[in-house]
Amino acid sequence: MSPRAGVAVAGIVGDLLGDYGAHVEGLDLSAAARCRRLAAASRFMFLFPDLQAWMARPTAARVEDLRRSHAWPLLVFAISTGRLRLDLELAGAKKLHGLGDAIRATDPAGFERAGAVGLHLGWGQDWIDHVLHDCLPLVLACTGRALNGLDDAVIDRFDADLRATVTIPATVRRAHLARLASLRRILFEMGISNKPPARGGWGRTLEQRFADVDMASAIRVVLLRYVQTRAAVLRPASIESLANDLLSFAEFLTSHHSDVASLRRLHRGHIEEFLTWNRTRTWRGAHAKSRPVGPTMARSAVLSVRSMFEDIAMWGWAEAPGRQLVFAADIPKLGTTLPRALSPNVDATLMTGVADLADLFAATGLQVLRGTGLRIGELLDLECDSVIDYGPAGIWLRVPLGKLNTERAVPLNQVTLAALDTWAGQRGEHRPIPHPRTGRLTHFLFTQRGRRLGEVRLRNGLVAAALAGGLSDAAGNPLRVTPHQLRHTYATELANAGVSLQALMALLGHVTSEMTVRYASLAPATVASAYGQAVSTLRPQLAISAPRRAMVPDKITWLNSEMIKTRLASGYCTRHEAAGACAYANICETCDNFTPATEFADALAVQLADTQALQADAAERGWAGEVGRHQRTVTALQEHLKLLRPR
């Protein structure tokens, strides 16, 4: 050591020991304990005057030095005052007694604010203590930063160093990483970090996934390049599906045609074998199962392979086959199935159970799905400003870009609006999160504890609601209901009510009429009504063949018939019960613009008497909806007659 360096080290040692001595004197210790601490610090500094050089010693040697000298409190003081930086190797080999309290004492206000954020996120006090007493002090000790001096780059480097540390056992490392993830969320809410807390993405990169599958190197290069090119315009789920499809094709080539080292060597025979194999192949990857994939998965694989060949040929890639290998006729045809809507009684029982769910998110989300017909992804993408009041036009829900990349608005009923109000009232304030597709900072509606919510709790809520309602299938097992069935039920209900296919198409966000017309087949009341209208055009012919049968019933027969009945001033409506209540029944008599004339007073009086009789008949049959409708008509007619026949 040079004389100049020796003087510098001596000065540092003297300053450290002097400050440490003043620190020890202020501790609540006995005089003997303070003497022991100062003596241990003096011996340690005599042996190792250059602490930075001592930190370069092997970890095992440093642990032994501390065990013999009992100088760990001195190092805690040096670290907490910024004179020394802890390394993770020593942290993994040595218990860090007192370090958390010492570092916390340097910034009590910052730690208190971080604790308040943890409470705002809904965490328990025990977990907050773990994060702020065990994790945050370790980060500050190893990085040499103050709390407000942390940033994303510093946290990322600490994360990488923690994963690479060999002295920390795997179980302890996982615990540290869990606390670090929570610390990131606190720092984000405090505005110290700008990286939002993220859900776990795909476990491996595309490069890793393609490297793990055995295939010819030239084929691997082309397939990976193609997926990476398409990834620039696809959503993550679509990228995942495309990669799985092409990896399945690569596995087929390796197992059945290992001699094929390039896509250019493929011929039609290879594709025909693939089409046969693809129908019976089993699931692969993380979802590997022994049973064959479904027809949708099999079709997706053929479509992906065909698209790849067509794309790389159009792009002029040298590896493209010399001729077309996959044709439109090779695409498996899927069966056309009707949407599986819930029956009215199951729907009513299920939604009663949903309203009583203890999980407010599940209760709110499922009521919104049922009341608006949203897809589950559209629900989770709703933003805080999605509810719009259009005044006389009512309150509507703006549905963001979703599955079909379209935006639309859906009217809200009172039940759905009340559910949204309840959720918004307890949601609390959170920092906006970058949108996963656009990167735009977004205040998502369904967030909790600083993170976006997923669909698992919604599915669990449906299970709980079905069990609470005692719903079961034909085999006696608990009824399985999916969130998408609520969308089908919403659409079918509207179709039954007579909503036009054009309006239904707009409400559901369909881009083609073929997607919407399926619900017309699922609306028995609509079909029955159309059938009744068609039959009514044949009534003159039927009257000729059966002249003794009256086409229009008399008043007595009409009142006692099993149908939904409406008395009009000029006649009767014979809409069948299967067609459901008419949305336009007595619409004129109950309209604010209706002005009665004196010459129609007798007709209105007869209509009032008949409507009251119909109300009593509906009450006997238990038709609550009809009772309410008739009451509105009765009230309107009574008001009209008061004007025409004042007492």
Side-chain angles (χ1 to χ4, degrees), residues 377-406:
E378 294 171 338
L379 174 81
L380 299 178
D381 280 350
L382 287 177
E383 302 176 21
C384 288
D385 60 352
S386 294
V387 178
I388 304 174
D389 188 350
Y390 284 115
I395 300 177
W396 292 61
L397 183 70
R398 183 176 59 82
V399 185
L401 297 175
K403 176 183 177 183
L404 302 179
N405 208 34
T406 58

Side-chain angles (χ1 to χ4, degrees), residues 209 239-249 281 284-285:
R209 297 179 63 195
I239 299 169
E240 174 75 0
S241 177
L242 178 61
N244 275 332
D245 291 341
L246 296 184
L247 287 173
S248 297
F249 181 62
R281 68 181 175 93
R284 64 171 308 280

